Amino acid sequence: MDTNATGESPDLLSDTGYLCVGIYLSILGLSSICVNGFVILILLKGKAKHNVMHNILLLNMAVTDFLISIVAYPLSASSSLHGRWLYSEGTCIFYGFWVFSLAVGNMNTLAVIAICRYIIAVRPEYSYLLEKKNAKYILCMIWIYSFMWTSPPLVGWSTYTFEAYRTSCTINWAGRSILDKTYNITITVTCFIVHVSICSFSYFHVIKRHAWANNSDIGLALRSSGRNLEATERTFNLETVVSYHKVTTSRKVTMMCFAMLTSYLIAWTPYTFLSVWIMFIGDVKPWVHVLPTMMAKSSTLTNAIVYGILSSKFRESVKLMFKRNMNRVAPMTTNINRNLSEPVATSSRVQSTGTTLQHRPQE
């Protein structure tokens, strides 16, 4: 790692630049902690019954974003506000490993969600793989794959080092050794291109399946003839009806997942292109690093926002939880009002007790 990592290079950001980065990361970190914490609470306590595997994967993403926000952003934000890295070299290595591992875990989860949507819409014969009992195996594979590619820099295959503006840490994209170059190319393929390919394949076939449902005989019959559902379904075989319903009922969830993937790619693609540019062409000025890096960090917040806005089931869970809490408060308020409305009776009992106590010594 570069030992001159205290922010004293003349080519770094201006004081105003560091201040803006620090304020941005502070707001982003606090917002991400609050929003992802709320999503975690609803997924755990909201008692949503739809697609348990889907909820577990969304919970995994929310926890991942929460952990990035609560651990990494305070380190980077405080350093940016001071214009230099405030902590040790070991902390920088931990920061890079922590953020990269969780980011790859997020990308793995998005790829698994895409596969789940593909199975539900296109290959329902494999739906047994999406049962709750298999969730622990899927989560293990997600994190084993993540640590498999983020651990090598800890043992000598490339390194974790400072970003060009020196207040956060990442993979040594600018390294020119054979170890740096081979590792950087490998993770670009295995941790980005592979995932984008899986998601593209899955959603292409899911969207194609949705188009089939819209243009199928049963879909056209329901839209154009005005016949009721039962009458229409009686004219088609059971397999066609079941397939149509599975595709159409999962459409909104699929669109939400696709929106989450799109927002994630919008956030991370500029950073990936910048990294590839640095690998093959050469390094750029520190200020050029800032915008792609800040966009990538925003993904910890956008996932939760997209889910909260587009998931009708999530909104229903929020309403049910607040309604349940209000119902708990209402009886307490009623009891308090009832007690306050009976002062005379209470006073009489106290007076009666007091009278009895006063005459006991005389007996």
Side-chain angles (χ1 to χ4, degrees), residues 62-359:
V63 170
T64 299
D65 289 333
F66 183 83
L67 290 175
I68 292 176
S69 304
I70 203 169
V71 175
Y73 288 169
L75 298 176
S76 186
S78 58
S79 294
S80 296
L81 290 172
H82 285 81
R84 62 184 179 86
W85 182 252
L86 297 176
Y87 309 97
S88 67
E89 184 176 301
T91 305
C92 177
I93 294 172
F94 164 76
Y95 178 104
F97 172 72
W98 180 266
V99 173
F100 188 39
S101 297
L102 295 176
V104 174
N106 251 350
M107 196 66 185
N108 294 344
T109 307
L110 285 170
V112 172
I113 289 175
I115 294 171
C116 290
R117 305 322 305 171
Y118 173 80
I119 290 174
I120 290 171
V122 183
R123 303 300 295 270
E125 64 269 24
Y126 295 111
S127 294
Y128 67 91
L129 295 173
L130 307 183
E131 294 176 1
K132 184 179 179 181
K133 64 182 181 180
N134 294 321
K136 57 180 176 291
Y137 304 114
I138 292 175
L139 291 177
C140 284
M141 287 190 292
I142 285 172
W143 291 108
I144 288 172
Y145 188 87
S146 176
F147 292 128
M148 181 175 71
W149 294 114
T150 61
S151 297
L154 300 178
V155 293
W157 190 14
S158 189
T159 57
Y160 289 107
T161 187
F162 294 93
E163 297 271 12
Y165 52 93
R166 306 282 182 162
T167 58
S168 68
C169 305
T170 186
I171 292 297
N172 187 12
W173 297 109
R176 290 294 174 258
S177 71
I178 189 66
L179 291 175
D180 290 328
K181 288 185 176 181
T182 54
Y183 178 75
N184 293 343
I185 294 171
T186 301
I187 61 171
T188 301
V189 174
T190 58
C191 299
F192 188 79
I193 295 175
V194 168
H195 295 70
V196 172
S197 301
I198 290 172
C199 293
S200 300
F201 173 87
S202 299
Y203 285 117
F204 170 78
H205 286 281
V206 169
I207 293 171
K208 186 177 177 181
R209 190 67 171 171
H210 287 166
W212 165 85
N214 286 334
N215 298 319
S216 64
D217 292 338
I218 185 172
L220 293 172
L222 286 171
R223 290 200 310 273
S224 62
S225 67
R227 296 155 64 187
N228 62 54
L229 183 62
E230 292 182 2
T232 301
E233 289 181 348
R234 281 197 295 269
T235 65
F236 297 93
N237 62 56
L238 180 61
E239 184 179 354
T240 301
V241 173
V242 171
S243 178
Y244 175 81
H245 278 299
K246 282 186 176 180
V247 172
T248 54
T249 55
S250 66
R251 182 176 294 149
K252 287 184 179 180
V253 178
T254 298
M255 291 300 103
M256 179 203 72
C257 296
F258 184 74
M260 290 177 64
L261 173 66
T262 301
S263 69
Y264 195 87
L265 291 179
I266 289 173
W268 275 98
T269 299
Y271 186 83
T272 303
F273 278 128
L274 175 64
S275 302
V276 172
W277 178 280
I278 293 171
M279 276 192 285
F280 293 106
I281 298 178
D283 207 353
V284 295
K285 295 291 185 181
W287 62 267
V288 178
H289 286 256
V290 172
L291 183 58
T293 305
M294 296 305 110
M295 287 182 65
K297 293 181 185 297
S298 71
S299 65
T300 58
L301 180 60
T302 55
N303 286 334
I305 291 176
V306 170
Y307 176 58
I309 292 174
L310 296 184
S311 174
S312 58
K313 296 293 184 181
F314 178 81
R315 295 195 299 272
E316 288 175 12
S317 296
V318 173
K319 291 178 183 177
L320 285 174
M321 193 176 79
F322 279 106
K323 185 177 180 181
R324 192 162 57 244
N325 290 336
M326 290 299 294
N327 289 339
R328 288 175 185 169
V329 173
M332 295 175 58
T333 306
T334 303
N335 290 335
I336 292 172
N337 292 335
R338 185 180 300 161
N339 292 335
L340 292 175
S341 66
E342 298 175 352
V344 176
T346 304
S347 177
S348 299
R349 287 195 297 270
V350 173
Q351 290 175 2
S352 176
T353 304
T355 303
T356 304
L357 292 174
Q358 289 174 359
H359 283 80

Side-chain angles (χ1 to χ4, degrees), residues 19-95:
L19 179 62
C20 291
V21 170
I23 293 173
Y24 170 82
L25 290 176
S26 299
I27 295 172
L28 176 64
L30 183 60
S31 301
S32 184
I33 290 170
C34 294
V35 173
N36 283 290
F38 182 70
V39 170
I40 293 169
L41 176 66
I42 297 301
L43 289 174
L44 290 176
K45 300 294 186 181
K47 300 186 182 301
K49 301 298 182 183
H50 68 291
N51 201 329
V52 175
M53 176 66 76
H54 184 72
N55 281 350
I56 291 172
L57 292 172
L58 290 173
L59 179 63
N60 186 57
M61 289 192 67
V63 170
T64 299
D65 289 333
F66 183 83
L67 290 175
I68 292 176
S69 304
I70 203 169
V71 175
Y73 288 169
L75 298 176
S76 186
S78 58
S79 294
S80 296
L81 290 172
H82 285 81
R84 62 184 179 86
W85 182 252
L86 297 176
Y87 309 97
S88 67
E89 184 176 301
T91 305
C92 177
I93 294 172
F94 164 76
Y95 178 104

